[in-house]
Amino acid sequence: MKHTAARTRRAVLRATTHPRTASGTASRGPGRARRGARTWARANRAVLQLTTRVQEGLQEAARRPDRGDISTTTVIIWVAAVTGAVLIAGTIAVVIAKYNGQLNGL
């Protein structure tokens, strides 16, 4: 059974509808029911967009299992490069701090 946007929207609306919306709105006062409806509509849109995006991602992952994920070797090389750069910068900072008085006259 294929999922369509309308089917997903109906499922989200059914799942997120508050059970007391009809009875609770009369006692809230004037104008509050509309704001609550707008909030629910905004929440429904957000949930719909999120579920649609997750479904698209899952379909893409099923269609293309090799998505070019970063390999372990690449991560090791990057960590080694960053560590080396930090060590070199630290060494330069120590040397400059040690000989700072002698370098002032240059």
Side-chain angles (χ1 to χ4, degrees), residues 35-89:
R35 276 188 299 211
R38 277 187 259 148
T39 304
W40 276 106
R42 188 178 306 144
N44 283 337
R45 279 194 305 271
V47 170
L48 177 63
Q49 288 175 350
L50 181 64
T51 54
T52 304
R53 178 68 182 116
V54 169
Q55 285 177 354
E56 289 172 356
L58 290 174
Q59 288 172 355
E60 179 72 16
R63 189 172 60 85
R64 277 187 350 172
D66 181 24
R67 297 185 314 273
D69 292 336
I70 297 176
S71 67
T72 307
T73 308
T74 305
V75 173
I76 291 172
I77 290 171
W78 274 101
V79 168
V82 169
T83 304
V86 168
L87 285 174
I88 290 171

Side-chain angles (χ1 to χ4, degrees), residues 2 4 8 11 14 17 26 28 90 102:
K2 190 168 181 121
T4 62
T8 305
R14 243 183 268 123
T17 304
R28 290 185 186 182
Q102 296 174 2

